[in-house]
Amino acid sequence: MKQNIHPDYHTITVQMTDGTTYQTRSTWGKEGDTLLLEIDPTTHPAWTGGNSKMLDTGGRVARFNKRFGGLSLGKK
């Protein structure tokens, strides 16, 4: 492995939005720094399942069916 080309890998503290903390190793910051998270798995909708909404809130499917619902692709 080449010398003097890799960033310093050290221990930092990560603080979640609810105040809980844990120790990990990272190249972020300096030894002993605290990384304060603004979004984490306890609050983000991607992990909590919240903030889900229907994609068809404007009625696009209904509008499409109204315009093209009478068309048939099959043989008569």
Side-chain angles (χ1 to χ4, degrees):
M1 188 162 61
K2 292 184 179 179
Q3 297 296 321
N4 301 322
I5 64 166
H6 301 284
D8 181 36
Y9 192 60
H10 49 270
T11 304
I12 64 167
T13 302
V14 178
Q15 183 175 350
M16 309 283 266
T17 56
D18 64 357
T20 58
T21 61
Y22 65 91
Q23 296 278 325
T24 189
R25 293 181 51 85
S26 175
T27 58
W28 179 86
K30 298 181 300 252
E31 178 80 29
D33 281 353
T34 300
L35 176 62
L36 302 173
L37 297 180
E38 295 176 5
I39 298 174
D40 62 32
T42 62
T43 60
H44 194 276
W47 288 287
T48 61
N51 198 17
S52 63
K53 60 181 178 180
M54 290 184 58
L55 296 175
D56 188 33
T57 57
R60 291 181 183 202
V61 173
R63 198 166 52 236
F64 177 86
N65 287 335
K66 182 179 176 185
R67 289 180 68 190
F68 303 108
L71 297 178
S72 174
L73 297 176
K75 295 180 181 179
K76 289 186 176 185

